[in-house]
Amino acid sequence: MLSGDKIEEVLGFAEKQVRHLVETYPNFFPIYTVNGKWYHSGELWTDWTGGFLAGMMWQFFRRTGSPYWFEKATHYSRLLEHRKHDRNVHDLGFIFLNSYLPWYELTRDSSLQEVIITAGRTLALRYQPKGGYLCSFLGPQSLFIDIMMNVPIIFYAAIHTGDHNLMEIAVNHCRTTRTYLVRADGSTAHEGLFDVETGAFLGQSTHQGLSPESCWARGLAWSLYGFSKVYALTGDPEFLEVAERNAQYWILHLPEDKVPYWDFCADLSQPPPWGAQKESSSAAIAASGLLDLARQTAVPERAIAYRSTALAMLEALCDSEYLAIHTPGWEGILKHAVYHTRKNLGVDESVMWGDFFFVEALTKLALEGSSRS
């Protein structure tokens, strides 16, 4: 059972780990560890995770009110501001919704909101009108499931500026993703490929999953949480339906210990990394998304299932098998995460988004508990 004391103990450990990171490697935005250490010279593939480090600091400040975390959060957020014009990534939602949005919500400084809106407009420039989607960093032919977690920044910009074109871009992207990447059973493909001349859909593909037909665990978590976020912004039930379909697949296919393997279709008779490799970051993402979805669903039985599954996953992640609290010298928070199996990057390591969404989910529970007391 996840008690309030246990949550505080784990979040205290998370604070200790992040403090060590920023004091040991100042102004560094890591993506994954190597042998448990954040600083390394390995490939990044794409630079998309800076908002998670700043985001953890904002989560710590929301819970504790510590001036230390406010100073660090503002400093690390400012280091990201230049990314608001970055047209080379599809991840501006990850970067700015976790850094500048909490900063703005705390201070109501309009200049901070302008950064978010500018980033939303920049991301919208990736829109491919013929296919009706925002393309991935790989090129105009590529649609990633990951972008569902980033499209909320376009919705945010549209809502706060009254820009109907931005709203149309965001809605079209979600519908295209639902049609071509989310399957009838709620599982998801990592990538969709399109003909750039006609916009015709060519087929599903993957870069990080087992196969085009499989269900890469982190991709499903991105979809579940992303469609939930879009529903929160729009109130449109068509997006809630997708998130709930994703959640059903997730719950039905979770292993007994409640922490998924890296791909739901992996052959568990085979050894890691292609077989029985756990993926803690996917559990953290999905847990945070399911906590929100439990409040959004109109079906009481589903609300109970979503919340109980989220709590079970978080309880599993708080065990020393996954939590690095009893692993001397380990610099991350959660062990047994995976970045990129095919490229052998951050496999069975800590990853910045896993740590962030774990902290985010536990902070939701901590603040929920404090509001009741």
Side-chain angles (χ1 to χ4, degrees):
M1 186 70 179
L2 264 183
S3 66
D5 288 344
K6 180 64 174 178
I7 291 169
E8 282 300 318
E9 176 192 359
V10 173
L11 286 174
F13 169 70
E15 289 187 59
K16 176 185 171 185
Q17 295 297 84
V18 175
R19 185 186 286 257
H20 172 81
L21 166 58
V22 300
E23 293 179 358
T24 307
Y25 316 113
N27 300 334
F28 176 59
F29 289 95
I31 294 183
Y32 59 93
T33 61
V34 173
N35 297 320
K37 305 296 184 184
W38 285 119
Y39 193 80
H40 58 83
S41 57
E43 182 184 354
L44 299 181
W45 199 41
T46 178
D47 185 6
W48 61 287
T49 65
F52 300 132
L53 179 56
M56 278 193 283
M57 298 169 186
W58 285 117
Q59 294 292 326
F60 296 150
F61 175 74
R62 287 181 65 216
R63 186 180 108 265
T64 68
S66 164
Y68 175 87
W69 288 120
F70 185 84
E71 187 275 325
K72 290 298 181 186
T74 56
H75 173 74
Y76 276 81
S77 296
R78 284 193 185 98
L79 293 179
L80 297 168
E81 182 173 349
H82 70 283
R83 301 291 302 279
K84 65 187 178 184
H85 297 300
D86 188 347
R87 296 187 60 179
N88 295 319
V89 297
H90 56 253
D91 303 297
L92 296 183
F94 281 141
I95 294 170
F96 289 98
L97 293 179
N98 298 313
S99 58
Y100 272 76
L101 182 56
W103 191 3
Y104 168 70
E105 289 175 340
L106 283 164
T107 65
R108 295 295 164 178
D109 181 340
S110 60
S111 68
L112 303 176
Q113 188 180 54
E114 279 305 310
V115 172
I116 304 165
I117 290 169
T118 298
R121 292 191 183 281
T122 299
L123 181 60
L125 297 174
R126 304 197 69 82
Y127 188 63
Q128 306 299 306
K130 290 182 178 177
Y133 60 92
L134 301 158
C135 67
S136 84
F137 80 101
L138 291 177
Q141 78 289 349
S142 169
L143 163 63
F144 274 15
I145 194 67
D146 317 40
I147 302 172
M148 277 308 306
M149 287 291 284
N150 291 283
V151 71
I153 199 171
I154 301 180
F155 278 107
Y156 183 91
I159 291 166
H160 290 277
T161 63
D163 190 321
H164 298 294
N165 182 56
L166 284 178
M167 181 63 73
E168 184 178 5
I169 285 171
V171 168
N172 288 348
H173 173 84
C174 295
R175 289 174 174 165
T176 300
T177 301
R178 175 191 60 191
T179 300
Y180 295 112
L181 297 190
V182 181
R183 305 180 184 116
D185 65 358
S187 66
T188 52
H190 179 201
E191 181 184 36
L193 295 174
F194 293 78
D195 184 313
V196 295
E197 298 298 326
T198 66
F201 178 66
L202 301 177
Q204 295 178 346
S205 181
T206 193
H207 294 270
Q208 301 209 49
L210 182 66
S211 72
E213 299 78 27
S214 73
C215 184
W216 174 49
R218 192 162 82 242
L220 178 59
W222 290 147
S223 184
L224 184 163
Y225 200 171
F227 276 102
S228 167
K229 278 180 167 286
V230 169
Y231 173 68
L233 286 164
T234 65
D236 193 326
E238 68 177 291
F239 302 130
L240 177 62
E241 186 277 329
V242 183
E244 296 208 61
R245 195 162 14 122
N246 293 150
Q248 181 182 31
Y249 186 94
W250 185 278
I251 292 169
L252 288 175
H253 292 84
L254 265 185
E256 189 174 345
D257 73 351
K258 303 304 181 186
V259 179
Y261 295 92
W262 71 286
D263 193 295
F264 282 101
C265 301
D267 182 352
L268 302 184
S269 69
Q270 299 299 311
W274 294 96
Q277 173 64 57
K278 287 293 190 174
E279 215 295 72
S280 61
S281 79
S282 298
I285 297 160
S288 194
L290 284 168
L291 289 175
D292 290 351
L293 200 57
R295 293 189 295 270
Q296 294 172 326
T297 183
V299 182
E301 294 80 8
R302 292 179 186 172
I304 293 169
Y306 299 157
R307 185 174 175 86
S308 63
T309 302
L311 293 175
M313 288 193 292
L314 291 170
E315 187 172 7
L317 294 179
C318 287
D319 185 86
S320 59
E321 173 64 23
Y322 293 96
L323 189 70
I325 195 165
H326 297 310
T327 308
W330 195 277
E331 294 180 340
I333 299 167
L334 284 182
K335 302 179 292 182
H336 304 312
V338 175
Y339 176 21
H340 202 305
T341 301
R342 292 175 181 274
K343 288 180 172 285
N344 193 31
L345 301 176
V347 176
D348 203 26
E349 294 283 348
S350 291
V351 295
M352 188 52 60
W353 56 92
D355 287 2
F356 168 77
F357 285 105
F358 181 57
V359 166
E360 180 188 66
L362 290 177
T363 302
K364 287 175 182 178
L365 295 175
L367 294 179
E368 183 182 280
S370 66
S371 69
R372 289 174 180 166
S373 58

